[in-house]
Amino acid sequence: MPARHLRTSSTPARLAVALLGTAAVFATALIVPWGGSTPEAAPDPTRERTAEPPTAPPGPARVNTYTCTPYSGIARPNPVANLLKDTYTWGTTPSTKVGDGTGNIDWRANPAKNPSWYMWLHSLRWLGQGINAAAKGDQAALQRVSAIARDWVTDNPYSWKSDVGAYESTMHRTNVLICLRQAVLSGLHVGKLPLTYAWLDKTLLDHARFLQENWSGDWNHGTDESLALFGIGCTLGRADLKQLAAGRLTSAIKTSIDTQGSTNEQSTAYAQFNYALWGRAIDVLQQCGVDPGTTIMARRRELAKWLALATNSLGNLPQLGDSEVVRTVPVTGTVLEYAGTLGKQGIRPTQRVGIFDAGYIFGRTGWGETRAFTQESTYSIRFGPAQKLHGHNDHTSVTYTSHGRDILVDGGHAGYKMDGWRSWAKSQFAHNELVVQSASGHPETKLVRSAIKPTSEFYELNDSPGAGIDRTRGVLMLKDPDLMVVLDRGTSEADENYSTLWHLPADQKVVVSGNDWVVARKPGDTVKTTLLQIPFQQATTPIEVVSGQQDPIQGWHYRTIDQRLAAPVVKFNRTGRSASILSVIAPTRSNAVVSYTTSRQGTRQMVNLKVDGVTTTIGISADGTLERIN
């Protein structure tokens, strides 16, 4: 099915984009999603935003050639000197001596009780600098990393599935063990593994057995597992392992990335990670003599378009699902080059609005044709299938950038520790949507209708977030003046507490005037945001602002899993069996005047807005249709 990419009437019907290369593989530091005895999801790709150099284009297919993967930034804070002391560093946790100084490691250590710290200890990726040194002939480094790896094998006999940290890290540890094997051969200048390292091939076969019996399926975790299994087959000359892994990859791509370029992760950061991951899959298969076919390349090409459209005017991907603030990687020769360089390089895309069946709307006022790239306004809207994998309870939620800054933000990604912070970050209360206090479901949300015009776009979404509760949101996006108009309507069989939430960046100071007016601004900034609560079919109620609240949790923004900042949330509230909340979000220069009046035109309510000297009129029909009149 072709992607439902909607275009303005003035733009060509096809997106100009060069063929995607398969060699641009970017390493990212990952975080395990573990908070108990059962893994919740695959590791998080958002910790490290500096891309590794792309791999060289593959040459002629060769049999049994497998490229050792980078260590995803995890090796960087763990130099050889620290490895010789059995010291391990990850994240913000202080360096920890985890062994006795001889390579005998306490594999149950976890001083900060952080599941990610623990998983990456078991991944062995922290040995990366030592393995690289060993490959160049550093015998002390070779002895130490070999001792640590063998100690893991001794202390964690097959099967290690009962230990989630060891279980979750199997695919990563597999690659490290392959890297270590290659380092032994090159560091000792031998063509065959010495008998003293026979344990290394044995444990690779144990890892292969584990990966055969414990495949996660058609998502990024399963893809990583398949690549690791293929790596063992390639390294040890096991055609059966290669065939199984290649078959899993061939099947998984059809679910992992759909024909419109959307991934099944429900996360923008994971979408970018999947772009790199499937690029590596092409390389791995080709370099070990297996034809990857055409599907992977075709799906990646569509994913590149998806990522470009998702890129906001700041050059970042909006924080949807388990996503930190991540910059779009400017892959040379693809549509991502223009988006990732803020319009400085590459071919400018022609498509400015895209609607995807997986539940995403990405739109923008332009690509920098008549104003700077960073001065365009961009937005995202979520709908679609029910929550899964790395998705949040964010249906109908919006994000918005304009005037060179974030205007509306998502609550962000709180990491994988199963606590109140993660529960909040995934919940409806961490997103810009109409929330119903008693509702706990995350149902399918339908895009009921849409209308794309040269200077406005209208969307209407509907779902039922709880038993007997109906929720409809209409969103009207305007250009010149750039602003957002949102009509939220809800009905319920019993009295409910409804709130339309607007999450603002942490640097905003908020001033409330009456029941209809909010102004938010960073002190000294040249940009402000005016939020209006305008009566429509119901009287307005006092506006509430929450920031830095811990019981219940509200008013926070996670730019990264390690950076939680108090951030204001503006709440427009209603109580009863119905709610009708009309909001206007108007970003402007800090000294601009914003005003409004209302009137009637037949059955329609008219909202006459004057924004920084520009007057526009919005018509609102009784059925919820929002339309720009002038």
Side-chain angles (χ1 to χ4, degrees), residues 365 371 455 478-483 614 616 628:
T365 52
R371 48 178 154 170
T455 61
L478 268 63
K479 176 181 180 179
D480 298 328
D482 294 6
L483 56 85
V614 179
T616 188
R628 182 175 192 169

Side-chain angles (χ1 to χ4, degrees), residues 423-466:
S423 295
W424 170 81
K426 292 184 65 176
S427 76
Q428 61 177 330
F429 302 104
H431 309 290
N432 299 303
E433 59 183 285
L434 174 66
V435 301
V436 184
Q437 192 68 38
S438 71
S440 58
H442 188 171
E444 176 184 6
T445 301
K446 295 181 179 179
L447 176 62
V448 179
R449 50 182 172 154
S450 61
I452 311 300
K453 299 180 181 179
T455 61
S456 68
E457 296 94 59
F458 170 65
Y459 311 98
E460 186 175 82
L461 307 102
N462 176 261
D463 63 18
S464 178

Side-chain angles (χ1 to χ4, degrees), residues 319-443:
Q319 285 185 272
L320 305 182
D322 287 337
S323 301
E324 296 183 334
V325 175
V326 181
R327 293 199 67 79
T328 297
V329 177
V331 182
T332 303
T334 76
V335 70
L336 290 168
E337 183 176 13
Y338 189 89
T341 62
L342 303 178
K344 296 182 177 69
Q345 298 176 31
I347 300 173
R348 178 187 294 146
T350 56
Q351 181 183 340
R352 69 175 185 86
V353 178
I355 301 176
F356 299 88
D357 293 340
Y360 300 90
I361 301 171
F362 301 122
R364 60 200 319 116
T365 52
W367 287 99
E369 295 92 339
T370 60
R371 48 178 154 170
F373 184 102
T374 58
Q375 296 302 304
E376 299 283 7
S377 296
T378 58
Y379 61 91
S380 72
I381 307 175
R382 280 284 284 125
F383 68 102
Q387 177 185 1
K388 63 179 180 178
L389 297 178
H390 291 286
H392 288 186
N393 192 349
D394 59 359
H395 281 188
T396 75
S397 182
V398 301
T399 67
Y400 193 28
T401 69
S402 187
H403 290 70
R405 67 165 299 132
D406 283 310
I407 302 301
L408 297 175
V409 299
D410 186 271
H413 179 22
Y416 293 104
K417 186 176 182 180
M418 297 301 293
D419 57 13
W421 295 104
R422 176 159 175 77
S423 295
W424 170 81
K426 292 184 65 176
S427 76
Q428 61 177 330
F429 302 104
H431 309 290
N432 299 303
E433 59 183 285
L434 174 66
V435 301
V436 184
Q437 192 68 38
S438 71
S440 58
H442 188 171

Side-chain angles (χ1 to χ4, degrees), residues 58-65 230 233-234 238-250 280-294 296:
R62 295 174 289 171
V63 177
N64 296 339
T65 299
F230 188 90
C234 187
R238 287 283 300 272
D240 58 328
L241 299 181
K242 289 170 56 178
Q243 182 178 9
L244 175 60
R248 286 176 175 178
L249 290 169
T250 300
R280 171 168 165 73
I282 294 173
D283 291 342
V284 164
L285 293 171
Q286 287 179 333
Q287 290 174 7
C288 203
V290 175
D291 181 2
T294 60
I296 298 175

